[in-house]
Amino acid sequence: MTEQNFNAAYAMQEIGGGVTAAKGFVAAGIHAGIKNNPAKRDLALLASEVPAVCGGVFTQNKFAAAPVNWCRKVNAQGKARAIVVNSGNANACTGQTGDEHAAQMAQAVGGALNIPTNEVLVCSTGVIGVEMPIKTVLDGVSAIAGKLSYEGGKDAAEAIMTTDTCLKQCAVTYEYQGKLITVGGMAKGSGMIHPNMATMLCFITTDLAIEQSALQKAVAEAAGATFNMVTVDGDTSTNDTMLVLANGVAANEPVAANNEGYAAFVAALTFVAARLAKLMAYDGEGATKLLECVVSGAATLKDARLAAKAVVGSSLVKSAFYGEDANWGRIICAAGYSGAEFDTQAVNLRLESVAGGIDLMQNGAGLKFNEELAARILQEREIKILLSLGNGAYTATSWGCDLSHEYVNINADYRS
Amino acid sequence: MTEQNFNAAYAMQEIGGGVTAAKGFVAAGIHAGIKNNPAKRDLALLASEVPAVCGGVFTQNKFAAAPVNWCRKVNAQGKARAIVVNSGNANACTGQTGDEHAAQMAQAVGGALNIPTNEVLVCSTGVIGVEMPIKTVLDGVSAIAGKLSYEGGKDAAEAIMTTDTCLKQCAVTYEYQGKLITVGGMAKGSGMIHPNMATMLCFITTDLAIEQSALQKAVAEAAGATFNMVTVDGDTSTNDTMLVLANGVAANEPVAANNEGYAAFVAALTFVAARLAKLMAYDGEGATKLLECVVSGAATLKDARLAAKAVVGSSLVKSAFYGEDANWGRIICAAGYSGAEFDTQAVNLRLESVAGGIDLMQNGAGLKFNEELAARILQEREIKILLSLGNGAYTATSWGCDLSHEYVNINADYRS
């Protein structure tokens, strides 16, 4: 279903807010003292007022952080009532002590909210290899529990930020079985060259009633089309996590993977996740431009995704856009080594921005183009790369940013 | 066989020179006018005085350049007498005209040297998508044919350079069946973040007598251990090529893949190729440091290579070394997402340079370390990253460079 079709069928609307937009969710965000700067929030808590099911996808990194291992266990049981998140310390490569700290965080939240410890999800983001200041964190949990509110989504979204320069929230409503369903979320993450250490965290809530197995399937589908398209396969940090809670407060008939409500929910979830993913790319470390690559005409979805990711993942493409240079050879070269199957003689390439559009390649051969118009298009902040492979019906979109001097500045001495 | 064992068994010695070090090879390099700057050579010719067999490996990029397609055909027949190389124009994405130009270059060389056209290999490197100035090139072939000499290796090595800042040559001799065998080569290439557009060309000659099938096998083995270890799989340019000519002038019994001479030749070929690969990494665009990552203790060679390549391929690792920051989390994170199989609890990590060595991780946990010593080690130009997976007996080495402001400068406006 295209976005337009979905909007028409389900009256989908974007609304303000984030994780507390859906009914029955409360949140808060405070400065607990994990970050040195007292003006920065560093602890977030999100809870459902009623029992909820959860779904999640996690980093594939062998060095998964302690909280990721904790979340995997909770998610395997499928039920969760709360998510606690700290920024400033990743609790990664911290050995058995790290596992104990993650468990202590869950216990503290469980005690404060009077819910089972094994229904508390725990996430951390920040420096690797440094022991958690656990007393500070546990004191923070005591303090934050009393601050949960329907208006706390924004504070929570602030508290999960690290090098992020902008808040990342999105929420939508749609109609299903005469009920108003809300899906809203928040995310943190930047560092879009290879986001291997710039942890991506995403938390989405919904008041939809949905079976846990269907929710888990929907989360995996949405992540594949969105967050995985701002990264290169496997390039995941020790802490990357996407979690979705569904509490059923909307009181619809529970959605299953095989009934009509499933596709509608996947569409809404993907919309929210895509917006958050795009905001992450837009907020890439040192980024001056948002690049969106749409690969069409691929023989398979896999081919479309491979090619789209290779283009926004190429440091040479990124550098060229930073320099506002219409170096189309780098774009098609990246598609050429991506592993996607296609006939080079059928490839078309076009760039677009708010300033206009320009065709650079047709049927595999470079076109003469107006350098002045190209320069004008490339001066814009958001640029679309439209690559048609002429080999089938599949399309995929990826997001990235340019590679700037500022990226090198940020990452050359991250620890200091 | 380790390098030391090989040296002892075959009395291998590094000697000066490059592609004309081996007996029976002549070369030249001139300014033909493809590059605007008259001080820069842009056409190289290399020839064997007697018939020779060839082996080669080529880019996997779908947009393989016209000369690559030409070379594939010649190499499939297994015999070649000459290699002509121009810099300044890649003859890539140039359609049928490009194919005709590559064929014309081979014909011109064949005519000038009185050898069959289908025994002439053709390589190009430079700007993509621009038609070859074919008259200039063909005039150049006429001019260069008379200049071939035993001393021409260095001029040829200069003529294949583009953004390279240093000449890349290496030659060794070893003894086999009482004969002195020479293996020598030249290469061009830089741009080591993702060398997708910074074409890698490598030409190696030997006077060894070897069966063509054994030569082709040896070339693939040597490339896998060397040039493929300065790149990320699949990240190949439109023009990447490695070619080896063997002319048998040393008059040994021809080496076959199943006789003892094979391992000795592979060792010598790999030594030369590794030196050239390392020089490419050292000469990375904007590089201030050479990074060598040795992964040991892997369960398979594939695992060792995956982990080693992921480490030197990570932009965050590269940025950290540019900033001389001992951010070991980024190194082990890259290994963690590389796809290599290992137990994180068995991982050790150590950095070394001429200034000393320092252990950063033992059995999967970070160690307290002396920041002053770490800083001293990281100030050096060449740094070794020693990562032990504790999971088996396989080892692999990869080479890369740091990511600097200068890289962004070079690549932001490459076309202008």
Side-chain angles (χ1 to χ4, degrees), chain A residues 308-383:
Chain A
K309 283 201 282 191
V311 170
V312 299
S314 158
S315 293
L316 287 162
V317 169
K318 287 164 173 287
S319 296
F321 278 103
Y322 176 65
E324 301 182 351
D325 180 10
N327 195 331
W328 56 268
R330 294 184 179 174
I331 297 170
I332 60 104
C333 183
Y337 67 64
S338 68
E341 281 302 318
F342 60 91
D343 173 8
T344 58
Q345 304 300 311
V347 169
N348 295 337
L349 176 66
R350 179 178 168 81
L351 297 182
E352 285 181 2
S353 77
V354 68
I358 193 160
D359 292 304
L360 298 177
M361 182 177 238
Q362 197 160 36
N363 297 327
L367 297 172
K368 284 204 194 312
F369 61 92
N370 185 318
E371 291 270 1
E372 207 177 303
L373 175 58
R376 180 69 196 86
I377 290 167
L378 292 174
Q379 275 165 25
E380 295 300 326
R381 181 70 169 86
E382 295 185 41
I383 294 159

Side-chain angles (χ1 to χ4, degrees), chain A residues 267-325:
Chain A
L269 183 65
T270 303
F271 181 94
V272 171
R275 171 61 54 87
L276 295 171
K278 205 165 157 172
L279 282 170
M280 283 170 51
Y282 197 73
D283 196 18
E285 287 172 352
T288 73
K289 291 181 195 302
L290 172 68
L291 309 178
E292 179 169 302
C293 178
V294 182
V295 170
S296 61
T300 67
L301 180 59
K302 190 183 166 201
D303 284 329
R305 287 181 173 178
L306 280 174
K309 283 201 282 191
V311 170
V312 299
S314 158
S315 293
L316 287 162
V317 169
K318 287 164 173 287
S319 296
F321 278 103
Y322 176 65
E324 301 182 351
D325 180 10

Side-chain angles (χ1 to χ4, degrees), chain A residues 61-63 193 196-197 234-235 315-316 319 323 325 330 333 336-337 340-341 344 371 405 409 411-412 414-415, chain B residues 61-62 193 196-197 234-235 315-316 319 323 325 330 332-333 336-337 340-341 344 371 405 409 411-412 414-415:
Chain A
N61 198 302
K62 290 254 170 220
F63 286 95
I193 276 201
N196 35 17
M197 289 296 291
D235 260 18
S315 293
L316 287 162
S319 296
D325 180 10
R330 294 184 179 174
C333 183
Y337 67 64
E341 281 302 318
T344 58
E371 291 270 1
H405 291 113
N409 285 340
N411 284 296
Y414 179 74
R415 293 190 316 146
Chain B
N61 198 301
K62 291 252 170 220
I193 277 202
N196 36 14
M197 289 296 290
D235 259 18
S315 293
L316 287 163
S319 296
D325 179 10
R330 292 183 179 176
I332 61 103
C333 183
Y337 67 66
E341 280 302 318
T344 58
E371 291 271 2
H405 291 114
N409 285 339
N411 285 297
Y414 179 75
R415 293 189 315 147

